[in-house]
Amino acid sequence: MTEGLPPADQNLAVEASGLCKWFKKFQALRDVDLQVRRGERIVICGPSGSGKSTLIRCLNGLETCQQGQIRVNGRALAPGKNNLEIRRSIGMVFQSFNLFPHLSVLQNCTLAQVRAQKRSKEEAVEIARHYLARVKIIDQAGKFPSQLSGGQQQRAAIARALCMKPGTMLFDEPTSALDPEMIKEVLDVMVSLAEDGMTMICVTHEMGFARKVADRIIFMDEGRIVEEAPPEIFFSSPQTRRAQLFLDQILSSDVH
Amino acid sequence: MDFNHAFAIEIVPTILQALHTTLLVAVLSSIGAAAIGFTLEVTRRSGRLAGYAMRFVIDFIRSTPVLAQLYFLFFVLPFYGITLPAMVVGVLGLSIYYSGYLAEVFKAGIDAIHRGQWDAAKALGLSGFDTIIFVIAPQMLRNIAAPMGNYFVSVLKATPYLAVIAVPEMLGSGFDIASDTFRYAEPLVVVGIIFLFLAISIAQLVRLLETRLNAAHNR
Ligand SMILES: Nc1ncnc2c1ncn2[C@@H]1O[C@H](COP(=O)(O)OP(=O)(O)OP(=O)(O)O)[C@@H](O)[C@H]1O
Ligand SMILES: [Mg+2]
């Protein structure tokens, strides 16, 4: 399943080539190629429905694409299989947090460590507390998700993903569901992750964040990667009209 | 025919002797029905072919009379060399029959869970089994505590069917008294009151479970 991909390169965290994905008749991804080096920070942006979520959901196998290959840390993602090992090496953070509502914050962070990583309960709790402290909600460890603010919930979700000690983190619009005053606390955590060298693929429209941490911006439209450039180039001189229009919209709405 | 209070009280101990059978059958059948129903529903979701197969099984179970199922297990299985004690047949029969209904209840309870819960479990690398047991089932239970409780009451009320395969349950033992003494009102009223009491107790237990699940969930 790795034809179409060059031989595995140890410096690459994620490689995708020729991804095509259809929902029924509708094509959501059109021949997408993507290579992400270890430690690289990628920001994916683009209009609604352009396939950003679909792309990053394909990277950890939440969606299966009908064509193309994906390799994570040199290991091919097998379509239709469970790919548990690969999933455990990629963390994912969702727009809607998706914390488990029946478990406390601490239990949210230990469940997969104990069940999937086979860590002991004590070790899992220790690791969970470490990451909860890192995202500054250690004092909320015993609470249930519904007792936290949106920003706290998202930070808990980030901690939960970090507990698996992933080499790569995927973020799908992590701040879109948050009130403005909570966006910063989540972005701060993401910036600090980036500073620590985490490989990050972020779908976000937070252009300030993109400018600050992204090594590369990927602009998608209608299921394609239309532009790919370092932020200073992308923001100052977008090559396509679509990207120009998109930036005008985003930046003008940023002012308000 | 006058209602004889003294007689009614006199027969209570005899009827209560059958209470433990009724309770045992009701509890075991409820557990069995929940276990089978949950398995059916989870299997139904596991794939396309399994989906069609389980859909058929669930509809088949629900659209044949419980008595027919009991008679089948009791009278037909022995022809194939499977002879089970009446009590086991009874529990098995009620478990299977109500599993069809509980599978539907579980379906609604699982459908109501946000898709993101499955995504998060998958993204964390939880196995399918762990996802069902640790993520989906607890949230499902909270969604369906009330309708599930109603079916447990139904299971209880269906235990008298087992009289047809000679399981000594409560209504049967009341009826034995009636045919011996030709007094029908007293045994039936006594049995009815005990059933009422049991049904209310189950409903209360379920309500308790519901508040506890909600408490854990909400604050
Ligand atoms: N499960 C699905 N079934 C059918 N169509 C889908 C499904 N998921 C996504 N799509 C379609 O695929 C296209 C791409 O969706 P996707 O969610 O990837 O877009 P997006 O770029 O993330 O958009 P947004 O900014 O709104 O999140 C959309 O047109 C969407 O309607
Ligand atoms: Mg999206």
Side-chain angles (χ1 to χ4, degrees):
Chain A
M1 281 315 292
T2 49
E3 76 272 17
L5 281 175
D9 176 344
Q10 285 311 309
N11 294 319
L12 291 178
V14 175
E15 307 162 77
S17 87
L19 297 187
C20 292
K21 162 86 186 164
W22 286 265
F23 292 107
K24 302 267 163 57
K25 289 243 168 81
F26 177 80
Q27 190 168 5
L29 291 181
R30 300 164 190 264
D31 199 19
V32 171
D33 293 314
L34 179 67
Q35 295 199 331
V36 181
R37 281 177 282 108
R38 283 183 202 279
E40 197 177 12
R41 277 90 51 154
I42 306 274
V43 162
I44 303 178
C45 62
S48 182
S50 56
K52 308 177 295 291
S53 299
T54 307
L55 173 58
I56 71 166
R57 289 169 60 84
C58 282
L59 297 182
N60 68 345
L62 285 188
E63 305 277 0
T64 41
C65 33
Q66 289 90 344
Q67 275 179 35
Q69 288 82 40
I70 294 170
R71 207 152 53 194
V72 176
N73 297 325
R75 295 172 64 161
L77 203 71
K81 292 277 172 49
N82 230 338
N83 295 305
L84 291 181
E85 289 306 316
I86 290 184
R87 290 217 183 99
R88 287 166 196 165
S89 71
I90 304 188
M92 185 160 196
V93 175
F94 303 87
Q95 180 174 354
S96 50
F97 324 140
N98 298 349
L99 289 170
F100 304 132
H102 59 295
L103 300 178
S104 71
V105 168
L106 188 71
Q107 291 167 330
N108 262 277
C109 293
T110 56
L111 176 63
Q113 292 192 67
V114 173
R115 300 301 311 176
Q117 308 273 45
K118 308 288 175 217
R119 292 183 190 142
S120 72
K121 185 88 192 297
E122 296 72 35
E123 192 188 0
V125 168
E126 195 176 312
I127 293 172
R129 297 186 66 84
H130 169 79
Y131 286 109
L132 287 171
R134 162 116 208 235
V135 301
K136 302 194 174 69
I137 47 167
I138 188 67
D139 48 330
Q140 315 287 331
K143 291 191 180 170
F144 286 93
S146 59
Q147 295 169 282
L148 304 188
S149 74
Q152 291 172 329
Q153 289 188 48
Q154 192 60 299
R155 285 183 283 147
I158 294 174
R160 176 177 71 175
L162 291 176
C163 283
M164 304 302 282
K165 305 205 169 154
T168 304
M169 287 283 286
L170 308 174
F171 293 85
D172 190 358
E173 306 208 31
T175 57
S176 302
L178 296 177
D179 293 336
E181 69 269 22
M182 295 169 188
I183 291 178
K184 186 171 177 297
E185 61 190 51
V186 170
L187 290 180
D188 284 348
V189 169
M190 292 171 64
V191 169
S192 95
L193 277 181
E195 284 164 352
D196 283 3
M198 174 71 76
T199 311
M200 294 167 70
I201 305 177
C202 315
V203 175
T204 180
H205 291 161
E206 291 297 330
M207 291 304 146
F209 171 81
R211 264 183 224 277
K212 193 160 166 188
V213 310
D215 297 307
R216 205 167 12 132
I217 308 243
I218 288 179
F219 175 73
M220 292 186 70
D221 191 27
E222 295 181 342
R224 280 195 184 81
I225 293 183
V226 181
E227 265 192 70
E228 213 175 326
E232 55 283 5
I233 297 179
F234 179 74
F235 287 118
S236 59
S237 51
Q239 301 298 301
T240 58
R241 215 180 110 67
R242 289 292 307 158
Q244 180 65 61
L245 280 173
F246 174 77
L247 278 176
D248 288 349
Q249 266 173 16
I250 287 283
L251 297 177
S252 72
S253 69
D254 256 9
V255 176
H256 302 295
Chain B
M1 183 161 135
D2 283 335
F3 189 87
N4 184 336
H5 293 273
F7 179 62
I9 289 167
E10 187 189 318
I11 60 175
V12 168
T14 317
I15 290 175
L16 281 183
Q17 277 173 11
L19 173 66
H20 73 277
T21 306
T22 290
L23 269 182
L24 190 65
V25 167
V27 169
L28 292 180
S29 303
S30 294
I31 295 172
I36 300 172
F38 189 64
T39 309
L40 285 172
E41 171 54 17
V42 169
T43 315
R44 194 189 64 76
R45 287 171 181 269
S46 67
R48 213 170 167 160
L49 208 65
Y52 290 129
M54 291 306 116
R55 186 73 260 159
F56 175 77
V57 171
I58 291 168
D59 287 342
F60 180 83
I61 290 174
R62 293 197 309 156
S63 47
T64 47
V66 62
L67 268 182
Q69 293 179 19
L70 283 173
Y71 280 139
F72 184 89
L73 292 175
F74 194 67
F75 293 111
V76 181
L77 284 189
F79 278 102
Y80 298 96
I82 307 170
T83 310
L84 302 169
M87 182 89 161
V88 174
V89 168
V91 167
L92 201 61
L94 291 184
S95 296
I96 292 174
Y97 184 70
Y98 282 98
S99 74
Y101 291 91
L102 281 174
E104 291 292 296
V105 173
F106 294 149
K107 175 179 186 302
I110 296 177
D111 284 346
I113 297 171
H114 192 270
R115 182 176 88 125
Q117 295 291 307
W118 296 90
D119 286 347
K122 243 181 167 182
L124 285 167
L126 284 177
S127 68
F129 180 82
D130 285 347
T131 303
I132 295 286
I133 299 299
F134 296 103
V135 177
I136 300 303
Q139 298 188 59
M140 176 198 79
L141 278 181
R142 171 179 182 269
N143 291 343
I144 56 155
M148 189 173 68
N150 288 342
Y151 277 110
F152 289 163
V153 172
S154 296
V155 170
L156 170 74
K157 292 190 297 177
T159 53
Y161 279 121
L162 303 200
V164 302
I165 52 170
V167 172
E169 52 69 52
M170 239 176 9
L171 183 62
S173 79
F175 215 75
D176 287 345
I177 297 174
S179 21
D180 288 348
T181 59
F182 301 105
R183 299 200 67 98
Y184 289 88
E186 292 85 355
L188 290 177
V189 167
V190 169
V191 169
I193 290 174
I194 298 175
F195 267 110
L196 179 70
F197 175 77
L198 291 178
I200 292 174
S201 307
I202 294 177
Q204 286 303 328
L205 278 177
V206 168
R207 206 156 297 155
L208 204 73
L209 173 77
E210 205 178 3
T211 15
R212 288 200 53 178
L213 287 171
N214 273 328
H217 205 294
N218 290 333
R219 55 206 87 251

